[in-house]
Amino acid sequence: MIGDDALRIALAARVRRGADLVVAPLSTGFSGLTVGGVVLTTPADCSLLLCGELVSRGLGVVVLTPMSREIERAAYGLAGGRYIEMQVNTEELFEALAEAPRGQPTLG
């Protein structure tokens, strides 16, 4: 889920071309996501609390940031997400998407 239309479209196109993943870009909301899926998002679109909630629902979360901040990296990591900096080279992005830890859904 990436709110910036241009970024979402560009990333979806790049991931479709370079990764063995099914891409379903979402422009609004996180409802309807299935257990085992991976959410690619940004800090502006996914708070730490939301990241933790998504992981607890059984989703992998990859947070793509324009500028890496160690305190944010640690916080998103504790919430169960993977936090990476935007780069022209998308190797780290593809690795993060493929290896995103999928949380176990929690009940109640």
Side-chain angles (χ1 to χ4, degrees):
M1 173 36 214
I2 296 175
D4 181 295
D5 290 338
L7 179 59
R8 184 180 63 257
I9 291 166
L11 283 171
R14 179 64 185 109
V15 170
R16 278 191 193 101
R17 284 192 316 268
D20 188 23
L21 299 168
V22 175
V23 178
L26 302 173
S27 58
T28 60
F30 291 95
S31 62
L33 298 172
T34 59
V35 171
V38 177
V39 175
L40 176 59
T41 189
T42 66
D45 297 307
C46 183
S47 68
L48 289 167
L49 179 62
L50 181 55
C51 177
E53 289 174 8
L54 293 171
V55 169
S56 74
R57 287 176 34 199
L59 297 158
V61 178
V62 176
V63 180
L64 191 61
T65 183
M67 178 182 279
S68 182
R69 295 176 179 89
E70 283 308 311
I71 194 160
E72 255 188 4
R73 179 185 305 278
Y76 277 101
L78 287 172
R82 175 106 184 247
Y83 179 92
I84 63 172
E85 189 170 345
M86 289 180 198
Q87 298 177 14
V88 173
N89 175 348
T90 53
E91 183 177 331
E92 184 180 9
L93 173 60
F94 291 159
E95 182 181 294
L97 291 171
E99 297 175 358
R102 272 87 167 170
Q104 296 300 314
T106 57
L107 300 176

